[in-house]
Amino acid sequence: QLQLQESGPGLVKPSETLSLTCTVSGGSINSSTYYWGWIRQPPGKGLECIGSIHYRGSTSYNPSLRSRVTMSVDTSKNQFSLKLNSVSAADTAVYYCARVTGTTGFFDCWGQGTLVTVSS
Amino acid sequence: DIVMTQSPDSLAVSLGERATINCKSSQSVLYRSSNKNYLAWYQLKPGQPPNLLIYWASTRESGVPDRFSASGSGTDFTLTISSLQAEDVAVYYCQQYYSTPLTFGGGTKVEIK
């Protein structure tokens, strides 16, 4: 049974870099079929797709965040990661990692989510 | 970007009654070559990860109770809970995957009347 788990600091200072890792278990990240994505939900608001990455390294970022986002994959650890730089309070959100059924796809398996607060 | 608009923002339904949620996209999410609508529905409960309910606009995910059904094509879609159960209290989101960036509707909160 595929499982995803986010990890990383729960508190990040303004202007610094938010870094999260998603560990995939119960399946391999080395799938040509799937992408691996990040989605966030600010408090009291809806869901926003940040972007996704294929295990071979191709990425698709939301244009609204593209200038600040970097995603990467570590196939040896079955993990993928998100870095969001120059954060502000507007980046405070629950961050989810998920498996995506393609560059344009739906999210068929999600992590539990992790709250990241941007505050000094 | 394709903008997804859901209605209503919230609704209260009696146990055992029908709940209907609407989702409208700013442009068609139907690929005519495949005749498939690139539209999914999710259920979010507090403290739990989102749960995929429906994809291709009307295909129920494995394990999803058959009281959940969905329909629509092009730009107008509907999620129906035929007989609301207590465990269905949640926020429901539609999502288009016709084009990037992938976008979600604003969500519809379903409560018990």
Side-chain angles (χ1 to χ4, degrees), chain A residues 39 41 45-49 52 60-63 96 100-113, chain B residues 1 38 40 42 44 47-52 55-56 61 93 95-106:
Chain A
I39 306 97
Q41 184 176 29
K45 296 187 178 181
L47 298 165
E48 178 183 35
C49 180
S52 62
S60 176
Y61 298 151
N62 190 321
Y96 297 98
V100 198
T101 60
T103 310
T104 55
F106 52 89
F107 303 94
D108 66 350
C109 186
W110 296 64
Q112 285 286 335
Chain B
D1 298 7
Y38 283 51
Y42 302 87
L44 270 77
Q48 296 185 23
N51 182 38
L52 173 68
Y55 55 94
W56 300 127
E61 172 73 328
Y93 290 89
Q95 177 234 333
Q96 66 79 22
Y97 49 102
Y98 181 90
S99 66
T100 55
L102 308 179
T103 49
F104 294 86

Side-chain angles (χ1 to χ4, degrees), chain A residues 14-27:
Chain A
S15 79
E16 296 190 345
T17 297
L18 178 159
S19 297
L20 294 175
T21 296
C22 183
T23 301
V24 179
S25 59

